[in-house]
């Protein structure tokens, strides 16, 4: 099946720094990628949807200036958490969907962010 | 509007006994429905999906789910639980949304398997 990777798998940073998370579709072209956030023992919450070559669409309540999303190619999307604070600590998961019209999203393994 | 309800936050079974994880959905359209599994500190893996074909859907690792429109249910079952099945399971409704195709996640059911 389709494989999606994320890098890094885990990151610890100081408050005020920026962190970039990469999401790659390894064996298919992802016309659309999604970024989710998951708090401990909770479900996934969609943060934003990005289509290759266009601006991301953010869900209500998600600060687009804080969570910068770039989808520059059909296999790569990046999420940058700018000026991270401890409340940004979370598990960030990306997913990707190919352009065949199917609704299945293929999920990456997630990135655990801890802001000290 | 679409929504999904997982009726149990935690299910505990003994190894070798059947598994039933319940899910009810609400959708204005004929929905796409998915079950995903998440092992601790891991991403999500697709178990199976329903997309208006056969109502009984077979997935990986011996899991299957039956779409029942009259009951608006999509319960996940497995005849015999294995220790490796212990994980968090999410029932998901797929939105028809043009270029977006968002997913709405249930709150998850944690499956524990006792030896």
């Amino acid at each position: 099946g389709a494989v999606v990777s994320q890098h890094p798998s885990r990151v610890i940073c100081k408050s005020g720094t920026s962190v970039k998370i990469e999401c790659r579709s390894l064996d298919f072209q992802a016309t659309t990628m999604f970024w989710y956030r998951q708090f401990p023992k909770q479900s996934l919450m969609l943060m934003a949807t990005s289509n290759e070559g266009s601006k991301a669409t953010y869900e209500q309540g998600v600060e687009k200036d804080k969570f910068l999303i770039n989808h520059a190619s059909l296999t790569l999307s990046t999420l940058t958490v700018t000026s991270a604070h401890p409340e940004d600590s979370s598990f960030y998961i990306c997913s990707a969907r190919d352009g065949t019209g199917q609704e299945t999203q293929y999920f990456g393994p997630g990135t655990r962010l801890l802001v000290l | 509007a679409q929504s999904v309800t997982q009726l149990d936050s935690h299910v505990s079974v003994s190894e070798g006994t059947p598994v039933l994880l319940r899910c009810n959905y609400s959708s204005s359209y004929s929905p796409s429905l998915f079950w995903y599994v998440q092992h601790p500190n891991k991403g999500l893996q697709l178990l199976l999906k329903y997309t208006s074909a056969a109502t009984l859907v077979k997935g990986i690792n011996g899991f299957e789910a039956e779409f029942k429109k009259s009951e608006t249910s999509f319960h996940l079952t497995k005849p015999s639980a294995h220790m490796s099945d212990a994980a968090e399971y999410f029932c998901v409704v797929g939105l028809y949304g043009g270029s977006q195709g968002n997913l709405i996640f249930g709150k998850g059911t944690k499956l524990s398997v006792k030896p």
Side-chain angles (χ1 to χ4, degrees):
Chain A
V3 179
V4 176
S5 69
Q6 278 184 245
H7 178 79
S9 59
R10 181 184 297 266
V11 58
I12 301 174
C13 69
K14 293 182 178 180
S15 185
T17 61
S18 294
V19 174
K20 179 184 285 188
I21 303 170
E22 292 185 350
C23 177
R24 293 182 185 272
S25 57
L26 298 185
D27 52 2
F28 68 99
Q29 293 187 324
T31 54
T32 306
M33 286 184 166
F34 304 85
W35 286 96
Y36 295 84
R37 184 173 180 176
Q38 185 181 30
F39 291 101
K41 299 183 179 181
Q42 294 190 26
S43 189
L44 279 71
M45 292 184 60
L46 180 66
M47 298 175 66
T49 302
S50 73
N51 292 296
E52 186 265 338
S54 61
K55 290 184 178 180
T57 302
Y58 290 81
E59 295 300 302
Q60 190 173 8
V62 178
E63 298 176 60
K64 61 181 180 181
D65 294 330
K66 181 168 186 60
F67 298 101
L68 301 179
I69 292 172
N70 184 281
H71 191 166
S73 78
L74 285 172
T75 59
L76 173 64
S77 176
T78 60
L79 168 68
T80 301
V81 183
T82 61
S83 187
H85 288 90
E87 58 266 28
D88 299 325
S89 298
S90 190
F91 195 50
Y92 292 87
I93 303 176
C94 75
S95 71
R97 189 181 65 172
D98 63 24
T100 64
Q102 298 295 317
E103 293 183 31
T104 304
Q105 293 182 24
Y106 300 96
F107 286 81
T111 297
R112 176 75 60 192
L113 171 64
L114 176 61
V115 184
L116 302 176
Chain B
Q2 284 87 344
S3 66
V4 59
T5 302
Q6 290 182 246
L7 298 160
D8 306 295
S9 59
H10 190 193
V11 170
S12 182
V13 301
S14 297
E15 190 175 21
T17 63
V19 175
L20 170 63
L21 304 183
R22 298 183 294 167
C23 173
N24 286 95
Y25 69 91
S26 172
S27 176
S28 304
Y29 309 97
S30 181
S32 293
L33 294 161
F34 308 79
W35 275 99
Y36 284 89
V37 60
Q38 184 181 32
H39 288 91
N41 296 311
K42 300 289 186 183
L44 277 74
Q45 181 182 19
L46 179 65
L47 278 179
L48 50 82
K49 64 179 179 180
Y50 166 78
T51 54
S52 73
T55 56
L56 181 63
V57 183
K58 293 187 183 298
I60 62 172
N61 300 335
F63 285 95
E64 62 181 36
E66 186 172 7
F67 173 71
K68 291 187 176 180
K69 186 175 181 179
S70 61
E71 299 177 9
T72 61
S73 69
F74 190 57
H75 301 333
L76 181 70
T77 60
K78 183 173 180 177
S80 176
H82 191 272
M83 295 297 291
S84 61
D85 294 328
E88 189 89 18
Y89 291 80
F90 293 97
C91 182
V92 182
V93 173
L95 294 177
Y96 286 97
S99 63
Q100 294 208 353
N102 291 349
L103 302 179
I104 294 182
F105 283 77
K107 293 189 175 182
T109 298
K110 182 178 180 179
L111 176 64
S112 298
V113 182
K114 299 175 288 185

